Amino acid sequence: MDTQTTATGTLTLGKAINRGLHHALAADDKVLVMGEDVGTLGGVFRVTDGLQQEFGPERVIDSPLAESGIVGTAVGLAYRGFRPVVEIQFDGFVYPAFDQIVSQVAKLRYRTRGRVSMPLTIRIPFGGGIGSPEHHSESPEAYFAHTAGLRVVSPSNPQDAHVMIRQAIACDDPVIYFEPKRRYHEKGEVDEGVDLAELPLGAANVVVPGTDVTLVTYGPLVKTAVDVAAAAGDEGISVEVIDLRSLSPIDFAPVEASVRKTGRVVITHEAGQFGGLGAEIAASLTERCFYHLEQPPVRVTGFDIPYPPSKLEEHHLPDLDRILDGIDRVMERPNSLSGGAGC
């Protein structure tokens, strides 16, 4: 018996994923972990640390530096009944495997009329905030959320990270699992004994209840959004923070219920604004809640530029001040950042 699977304790987000991978490897010998440096090194972020030593090099496999080959090999393994877990070392390195993912991984179940499932999990550390340049700090989630046949999720805290990686591996659909790399070292309580059967994969979560504005986000910006809610509360504005958890499909029911209550919504993510998930969420909420909206939805996002040099990323990424400005705009309050009131 894996005695650690029922433990409760404080873990970093990265270690919580490691424990989820450990649990999956221990529970099912069809689970494999693959990627560049995941074995001997334990991953560039040490998320797979110790797994090869415990489960061996035939189950925790150091691959060549060839993302398309890694995912292509995993497709073949999934075809043969395995449950591969692939690590893409950094977000910007996923593009060589993009064709494999959108042309093969996403479509095989549909193409075979359900006769072949594709239980493949693709882990991608994503987002900025760690002082790295382009290729190491990108937010490509909209590309994959746009592709039918893929599930796309992103945890924001250690408990969710642990549960959602186990849910992803147990899922018979391919799952893109975006890990907020700047949150890897943040700690939280993790109950490793959670019954996965009790939880759907990626149900949206109301992190902070509120009544004036709905603030929708996911992954790395959830913690920032919680800080925003506290700061806005000091000014008498009650902000409800919703962590989407799943980016495709989106669990719209709690978001819609919140917007019907508050009448105002701000959506924030690190990716650029044009064609981003914020556009889809704003359009969907406008369709669903048009007569309940007091103002048009406001988006606070990264800028529509290639990811900037690391010395400039603090200006590129949405922070507390920019999100508070978005809340002021949807509340029709003037401020010193954008100046005017209203949208």
Side-chain angles (χ1 to χ4, degrees), residues 7-17 19 156-162 183-192 223:
T8 299
T10 301
L11 298 175
T12 64
L13 189 145
K15 188 64 177 176
I17 298 171
R19 291 298 310 147
S156 66
N157 60 73
Q159 179 68 70
D160 283 358
H162 179 78
R183 305 301 183 195
Y184 270 141
H185 299 295
E186 295 185 358
K187 296 181 178 179
E189 285 291 309
V190 176
D191 178 1
E192 296 188 56
K223 183 176 186 296

Side-chain angles (χ1 to χ4, degrees), residues 75-87:
V75 169
L77 287 165
Y79 233 110
R80 299 293 294 176
F82 289 91
R83 291 185 176 274
V85 183
V86 167
E87 177 180 297

Side-chain angles (χ1 to χ4, degrees), residues 109-164:
R109 191 165 194 173
Y110 181 81
R111 187 181 299 153
T112 60
R113 299 180 182 177
R115 287 191 287 269
V116 173
S117 61
M118 193 53 45
L120 168 57
T121 302
I122 302 176
R123 298 178 37 240
I124 306 177
F126 87 120
I130 63 166
S132 288
E134 61 179 340
H135 305 313
H136 298 75
S137 300
E138 299 183 12
S139 300
E141 59 269 27
Y143 294 128
F144 300 101
H146 181 70
T147 302
L150 300 175
R151 289 176 179 263
V152 183
V153 302
S154 180
S156 66
N157 60 73
Q159 179 68 70
D160 283 358
H162 179 78
V163 170
M164 289 167 65

Side-chain angles (χ1 to χ4, degrees), residues 204-217 238-244 251-266 285 288-289 292-294:
N205 182 37
V206 177
V207 180
V208 178
T211 56
D212 295 328
V213 179
T214 300
L215 178 56
V216 181
T217 191
S238 176
V239 176
E240 181 151 291
V241 177
I242 297 183
D243 177 2
L244 289 178
D251 179 16
F252 269 110
V255 185
E256 184 177 338
S258 178
V259 173
R260 288 176 182 272
K261 175 177 62 178
T262 65
R264 294 176 169 83
V265 60
V266 175
L285 291 175
R288 294 163 184 252
C289 308
H292 296 268
L293 286 169
E294 301 290 340

